[in-house]
Amino acid sequence: MAAVQSMGFHRSGARLQDQDLHPDTKAYPHLMWFRLVFYDRQMCLLHGMPEGTLDRGMGTEAMLTQDTDAGRLERQHCVIMSRILERNITAVLSDCALTQDPNHQLHRLTRTLASRWWVTPNLTSEKQKDALFWDMRRLSAQLCHYNLLN
């Protein structure tokens, strides 16, 4: 995470300076930063460690409005994970309000997506690679959501 921060990926409007990429390759530092923070927070929750950054900018209204339904869900999951990690490190775990607030947010998020979105995708049928990718991403978001509820 520190290496990516030293490259400036965490700054808004960051541009990739690496010249080793093919000229036709598009790179989005802000998206790479979000993915890194997202997975860092998932691992921190699993291992009981503090998060690597307190950045919650991925959950701003501006970021949410320009993303897909699944992307908005993941961005909000990332902010909720940060709040849970903060609670785990700094607060008394018996404080019900600090536990109930993320729970209410997760239930509210559930209602922002169509009920059919929550149906487990069928990954065994023959699908195009793109469709399989999006189904796997949806399944990953569902697993994250249910893990956070637990």
Side-chain angles (χ1 to χ4, degrees):
M1 185 170 285
V4 173
Q5 285 174 317
S6 71
M7 294 166 50
F9 282 33
H10 63 292
R11 293 187 199 109
S12 66
R15 296 186 188 273
L16 194 61
Q17 301 298 320
D18 190 357
Q19 300 301 320
D20 293 332
L21 293 176
H22 187 276
D24 294 337
T25 301
K26 292 185 179 184
Y28 302 97
H30 65 282
L31 185 56
M32 290 183 226
W33 173 248
F34 163 64
R35 286 281 163 221
L36 179 68
V37 172
F38 183 83
Y39 291 117
D40 172 69
R41 289 178 181 165
Q42 281 189 321
M43 293 296 107
C44 289
L45 281 172
L46 288 172
H47 297 289
M49 298 172 57
E51 59 191 314
T53 180
L54 300 176
D55 182 1
R56 293 181 184 165
M58 68 284 305
T60 63
E61 200 59 41
M63 295 302 281
L64 295 175
T65 57
Q66 64 185 2
D67 212 333
T68 63
D69 288 344
R72 280 190 292 278
L73 180 69
E74 288 178 326
R75 287 178 179 281
Q76 291 170 315
H77 279 164
C78 196
V79 172
I80 291 169
M81 283 188 274
S82 179
R83 290 188 179 127
I84 293 170
L85 287 164
E86 181 181 23
R87 180 214 57 193
N88 290 352
I89 298 299
T90 62
V92 178
L93 293 178
S94 62
D95 187 342
C96 289
L98 292 174
T99 300
Q100 289 175 341
D101 183 50
N103 188 50
H104 292 309
Q105 290 175 4
L106 288 164
H107 285 289
R108 183 184 50 78
L109 284 175
T110 303
R111 294 185 298 272
T112 64
L113 295 166
S115 59
R116 70 181 177 280
W117 191 89
W118 294 101
V119 174
T120 305
N122 181 359
L123 303 176
T124 60
S125 67
E126 294 202 17
K127 293 184 175 186
Q128 296 293 325
K129 287 181 182 181
D130 286 352
L132 184 59
F133 170 81
W134 291 110
D135 278 351
M136 286 296 297
R137 185 164 172 208
R138 181 167 52 110
L139 181 60
S140 177
Q142 290 171 347
L143 288 170
C144 178
H145 190 82
Y146 294 126
N147 184 47
L148 290 172
L149 282 170
N150 286 332

